[in-house]
Amino acid sequence: VQLQASGGGLVQAGGSLSVSCAASGRTFSMAWFRQAPGKEREFVAALMWSGTKTYYGGSVKGRFTISGDNAKKTVTLHMISLKPEDTAVYYCAATLTPTPPYDLLTTNQAIAGMDHWGKGTLVTVSS
């Protein structure tokens, strides 16, 4: 499965932006992670197609929303009230088989469980 991310760019603090990820085949779940310069990769959000369950990292809860179109095999991360600390390279990833709920996993466990990764897309939030 190949993952193609789109979107990203430069936005002012307080603004909004969306990034999307399209998969070339069926997946069990799709997720977004991000990595800021000098920092470890961080879990952002995930969507499990079965039951359309969504999960969010603590730092983005209430500001980011992940949605999906199963027919198009695409997930979109809608980001509002962006902060300079949201600046990072955002990576799309996917699992092909059932996984535990993301809220039961540490970030490292979630990262280790992803089967495929897309190329990152840069989101820059200016102050």
Side-chain angles (χ1 to χ4, degrees):
V1 173
Q2 294 184 335
L3 304 174
Q4 181 66 51
S6 61
L10 175 64
V11 64
Q12 287 189 331
S16 60
L17 198 65
S18 294
V19 290
S20 294
C21 179
S24 62
R26 293 182 66 84
T27 61
F28 180 80
S29 71
M30 294 179 72
W32 287 96
F33 295 79
R34 68 185 182 185
Q35 189 162 16
K39 295 189 176 181
E40 294 185 347
R41 193 163 294 192
E42 175 188 14
F43 170 73
V44 176
L47 182 149
M48 287 189 172
W49 296 113
S50 177
T52 320
K53 295 183 178 180
T54 58
Y55 305 88
Y56 297 94
S59 62
V60 307
K61 197 171 292 185
R63 299 187 298 122
F64 290 13
T65 302
I66 188 170
S67 63
D69 185 330
N70 203 351
K72 296 182 179 179
K73 305 182 188 67
T74 299
V75 293
T76 298
L77 184 68
H78 308 273
M79 304 177 285
I80 66 170
S81 302
L82 284 161
K83 306 174 183 179
E85 50 264 43
D86 294 317
T87 295
V89 176
Y90 284 68
Y91 296 93
C92 176
T95 64
L96 305 183
T97 55
T99 57
Y102 283 84
D103 55 358
L104 298 182
L105 302 175
T106 65
T107 293
N108 285 340
Q109 288 172 334
I111 290 172
M114 308 312 291
D115 294 308
H116 294 281
W117 291 84
K119 293 183 180 179
T121 183
L122 178 62
V123 172
T124 303
V125 184
S126 63
S127 58

